C-alpha cells in the first residue's frame, strides 16, 4: 500500500515506511516557541535539568503575541525568553522589531522549508504544511522536550483528501476555501488527522492563500494540513530557503480515510458567524450585520497580498463612521514592503489604525480588544466566545477583501458591491 | 468524589483560560480564572475535587498549556469528555492531568451529579443516579508517560542516562 503525504514525510525522516496509527519517535528539523508558550517551556526545560538545546540553529523563539509588551507581566515573559535565547546563542531568536508573527515569519524568511518536521508551541504551527512540511502545534512541555532532545513523538495520522476543482470566482480566496471546508466537516471533522489539500483549484492558488488554508487546519481539529509542493512552492522558496527543501508527494495508491471533493466554481466569499469557525455561511446568506470593528491581520491573513487586496478596496475611500479599522502587518518585512508600496498611506488616509507586527487583537491580547456587545469582522482564525475580548462580544471571520469592503460600509459587505461591480 | 460541572461540545482553550491571563505559567494564579468566560459560576462555585465533564472536542483551539494547568490549578483532578482535541489531550498527559474519554459518561452525567472516577477499573461511578460508565483506556504509551510523572520526568531520566553514558566516554560530550 502506498503512503499519503503525511506518511511520506515521516517515512523520509525515519528512513523506513510508516503507516497510519503507528507511534513513531522522529528527529525534528525545527522547534518553535513564542512569548506566551516559551517561558513555560523554558521553566520545564530547566527544571528537568537540561542545560543545552539540541541545536542552537534549529530552535526558533519569536516574540509575537504580547509585543510590544502589553503590561509588566508580559514584559517579564518576554524577558524570560530573551535571557534563554541569548544564553543558548539561538540563531533564530526574533525579539520585538526584528520579526513579527512566527507563522508568517518562518516561511517568509525560509527558516522552515518543504520536507521539514516541525513542532511549535503554538497551534497554528500547521501553517507550514502549505510548503509540504509536517508541522504541528504542541504545548510547552513537548516544546521543552524537543528543545532538549531534538526529537518528538507522533501517532502517524490518518489522512483525509480534499480535492478542489474548478475556476474560482473573483474575490474568492484560500480563506474562503478553508472556511467552507471547516463548515463541511465541522470543528472536529479532521480530529487527529492529516488534511491533504490538492486539485487544480489549489494548484492555482498563490502560496499566501495556501498558507492561509493550512493555517486553519487546526480549526477542524487537524494535526497537519498539507499542500502538495509544486512550481509555485519552488518559486516561493527559491530565494528564501535557508536549507535544502525536499519535495515529497503522496503515492497514487495511498490510503485515505475520506475523500472530499469541492467544486469552487460556485463558491462565494464565506463568513464564519459567532462563535465557531464552522458556522460559516456564503456571503449572500449573511444578511444585515452592522459592525463596530474590522481587524485585518494575524497569522492567517496579515501577509502582503492580503494588505494589497485591502488597500485596493480602501484606496480613495473612508472607513464608515463609528467603525474602527485596525490593520496589522504580520511581520516587519510585510510592514516595510507595505510602506514602500504606499499601502500604509492608503490605510491611514482611509481612517485605519496601523500597528506594529503582533498577534494582538486576534487573541484579545491588546491593540484592538473588544468590549461587551461589540461586533467585529476579523481576518483571523478563531471566533470563540471571548476570543477577542469580552465574552459578550461577537466575532465574524472572513477574507481581507470582505473585511476591507465591510470597513467602508460598516456592515458585512461583498467587495464587488463597493466597486460597483456585479456580484457574481 | 466530586460534583460534576457539565458542559457541551467544543469547550475551547480560550474559554478554559482567556489569553489575558497568559502572563504566568503558575497553576495557582491561572486556576481562579478557569472557565470564567464559559460559566461565571464555576470559579466561585466549584470545590477542589470537582470534575469537569465535556462533550466532543474538549480543549479545541490554542495550544496553550495554560489550559490544563488552569484546570489543575482549580483543583480539578481530571476531565471526562466524549472526545478531546489533540493538543489539549497531549498537554494534559504531559503535565499529569488525567483525561478520560467516555461518551457514555458524558451522556449520563448531569450538572451537579456526585461522581467518582475509578481509573484502575476503567469506570466512572455516578452516585447521584446509581449508574456507572466505562472509560476508554489511554493508549499504553500515554499511560506509561502519565505513570512516569509526565514527559519532563522522562526527560530527566534520559538526561541522567546520557550523563552516565558521557562519564563512560571520559566525560566528553
Amino acid at each position: 500500500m502506498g503512503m499519503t503525504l503525511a506518511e511520506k514525510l515521516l517515512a523520509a525522516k525515519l528512513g523506513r515506511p510508516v503507516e497510519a496509527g503507528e507511534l513513531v519517535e522522529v528527529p525534528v528539523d525545527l522547534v518553535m516557541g513564542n512569548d506566551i508558550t516559551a517561558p513555560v517551556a523554558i521553566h520545564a526545560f530547566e527544571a528537568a535539568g537540561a542545560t543545552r538545546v539540541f541545536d542552537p540553529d534549529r530552535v526558533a523563539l519569536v516574540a509575537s503575541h504580547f509585543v510590544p509588551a502589553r503590561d509588566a507581566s508580559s514584559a517579564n515573559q518576554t524577558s524570560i525568553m530573551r535571557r534563554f535565547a541569548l544564553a543558548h546563542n539561538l540563531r533564530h531568536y526574533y525579539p520585538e522589531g526584528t520579526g513579527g508573527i512566527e507563522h508568517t515569519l518562518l516561511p517568509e524568511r525560509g527558516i522552515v522549508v518543504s520536507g521539514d518536521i516541525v513542532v511549535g508551541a503554538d497551534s497554528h504551527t500547521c501553517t507550514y504544511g502549505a510548503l509540504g512540511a509536517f508541522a504541528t502545534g504542541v504545548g510547552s512541555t513537548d516544546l521543552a522536550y524537543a528543545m532538549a532532545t531534538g526529537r518528538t513523538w507522533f501517532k502517524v495520522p490518518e489522512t483525509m483528501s480534499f480535492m478542489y476543482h474548478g475556476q474560482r470566482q473573483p474575490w474568492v480566496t484560500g480563506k474562503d476555501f478553508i472556511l467552507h471546508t471547516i463548515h463541511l466537516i465541522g470543528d472536529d471533522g479532521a480530529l487527529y488527522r492529516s488534511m491533504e489539500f490538492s486539485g487544480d483549484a489549489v494548484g492555482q492558488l498563490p502560496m499566501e492563500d495556501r498558507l492561509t488554508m493550512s493555517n486553519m487546519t487546526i480549526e477542524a481539529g487537524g494535526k497537519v494540513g498539507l499542500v502538495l509542493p509544486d512550481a509555485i512552492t519552488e518559486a516561493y522558496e527559491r530565494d528564501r530557503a535557508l536549507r535544502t527543501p525536499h519535495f515529497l508527494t503522496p503515492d497514487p495508491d495511498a490510503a485515505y480515510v475520506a475523500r472530499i471533493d469541492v467544486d469552487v466554481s460556485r463558491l462565494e466569499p464565506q463568513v464564519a458567524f459567532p462563535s465557531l469557525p464552522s458556522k460559516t455561511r456564503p456571503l449572500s446568506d449573511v444578511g444585515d450585520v452592522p459592525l463596530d470593528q474590522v481587524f485585518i491581520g494575524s497569522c492567517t491573513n496579515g501577509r502582503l497580498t492580503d494588505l494589497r487586496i485591502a488597500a485596493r478596496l480602501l484606496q480613495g475611500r473612508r472607513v464608515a463612521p463609528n467603525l474602527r479599522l485596525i490593520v496589522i502587518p504580520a511581520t516587519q518585512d510585510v510592514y516595510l514592503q507595505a510602506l514602500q508600496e504606499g499601502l500604509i498611506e492608503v490605510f491611514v488616509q482611509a481612517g485605519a489604525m496601523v500597528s506594529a507586527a503582533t498577534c494582538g487583537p486576534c487573541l484579545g491580547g491588546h491593540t484592538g480588544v473588544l468590549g461587551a456587545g461589540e461586533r467585529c469582522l476579523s481576518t483571523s482564525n478563531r471566533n470563540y466566545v471571548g476570543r477577542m475580548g469580552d465574552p459578550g462580544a461577537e466575532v465574524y471571520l472572513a477574507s481581507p477583501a470582505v473585511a476591507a469592503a465591510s470597513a467602508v460600509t460598516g456592515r458585512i459587505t461583498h467587495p464587488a458591491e463597493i466597486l460597483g461591480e456585479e456580484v457574481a | 468524589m466530586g460534583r460534576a460541572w457539565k458542559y457541551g461540545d467544543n469547550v475551547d482553550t480560550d474559554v478554559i483560560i482567556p489569553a489575558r491571563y497568559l502572563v504566568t505559567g503558575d497553576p495557582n494564579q491561572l486556576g481562579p480564572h478557569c472557565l470564567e468566560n464559559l460559566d461565571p459560576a464555576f470559579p466561585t462555585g466549584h470545590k477542589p475535587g470537582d470534575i469537569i465533564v465535556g462533550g466532543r472536542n474538549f480543549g479545541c483551539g490554542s495550544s496553550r498549556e495554560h489550559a490544563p494547568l488552569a484546570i489543575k490549578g482549580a483543583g480539578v483532578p481530571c476531565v471526562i469528555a466524549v472526545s478531546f482535541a489533540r493538543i489539549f489531550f497531549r498537554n494534559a498527559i504531559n503535565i499529569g492531568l488525567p483525561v478520560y474519554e467516555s461518551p457514555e459518561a458524558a451522556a449520563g452525567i448531569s450538572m451537579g451529579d456526585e461522581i467518582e472516577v475509578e481509573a484502575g477499573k476503567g469506570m466512572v461511578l455516578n452516585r447521584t443516579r446509581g449508574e456507572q460508565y466505562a472509560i476508554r483506556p489511554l493508549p499504553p504509551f500515554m499511560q506509561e508517560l502519565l505513570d512516569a510523572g509526565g514527559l519532563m520526568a522522562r526527560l530527566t531520566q534520559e538526561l541522567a542516562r546520557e550523563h552516565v553514558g558521557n562519564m563512560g566516554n571520559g566525560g566528553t560530550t
Side-chain angles (χ1 to χ4, degrees), chain A residues 161-378:
Chain A
S161 161
F162 295 84
M163 299 271 274
Y164 300 83
H165 299 288
Q167 182 63 46
R168 65 195 155 102
Q169 298 290 326
W171 306 111
V172 172
T173 64
K175 181 64 164 286
D176 304 297
F177 285 19
I178 191 66
L179 283 175
H180 178 64
T181 303
I182 296 165
H183 175 73
L184 287 178
I185 65 172
D187 300 278
D188 61 353
L191 193 60
Y192 289 87
R193 291 172 169 173
S194 166
M195 298 173 79
E196 204 175 280
F197 305 120
S198 62
D200 54 276
V202 170
Q204 287 165 21
L205 283 182
M207 183 51 69
E208 287 81 355
D209 288 67
R210 299 178 182 188
L211 288 160
T212 300
M213 290 186 71
S214 293
N215 173 270
M216 290 192 70
T217 302
I218 182 68
E219 271 61 69
K223 179 181 270 183
V224 291
L226 305 173
V227 179
L228 279 49
D230 60 9
I232 288 176
T233 321
E234 195 179 0
Y236 181 83
E237 291 191 305
R238 192 170 301 136
D239 299 322
R240 307 170 193 265
L242 299 183
R243 289 176 285 109
T244 308
H246 295 283
F247 281 19
L248 298 174
T249 47
D251 291 323
D253 59 342
Y256 296 95
V257 290
R259 289 175 189 270
I260 292 154
D261 283 293
V262 181
D263 175 7
V264 302
S265 63
R266 281 188 302 222
L267 194 68
E268 293 177 42
Q270 305 285 305
V271 179
F273 275 55
S275 297
L276 286 170
S278 64
K279 290 190 175 173
T280 292
R281 299 184 197 173
L283 196 47
S284 58
D285 287 351
V286 162
D288 187 34
V289 183
L291 300 165
D292 300 294
Q293 177 170 311
V294 170
F295 166 49
I296 300 173
S298 85
C299 61
T300 313
N301 281 119
R303 299 182 192 85
L304 192 63
T305 48
D306 300 318
L307 301 189
R308 283 180 183 152
I309 290 172
R312 184 180 153 200
L313 289 156
L314 289 161
Q315 173 79 52
R317 296 189 174 80
R318 287 286 301 174
V319 168
N322 303 314
L323 181 140
R324 300 182 295 275
L325 172 60
I326 293 164
V327 181
I328 305 186
T331 63
Q332 289 287 94
D333 291 354
V334 172
Y335 200 130
L336 186 58
Q337 184 106 26
L339 196 63
Q340 287 164 349
E341 290 186 15
L343 310 183
I344 303 295
E345 188 176 342
V346 170
F347 297 139
V348 175
Q349 293 279 11
M353 283 176 283
V354 184
S355 293
T358 179
C359 304
C362 167
L363 76 160
H366 59 167
T367 62
V369 176
L370 301 175
E374 288 197 315
R375 198 179 276 144
C376 175
L377 179 70
S378 173

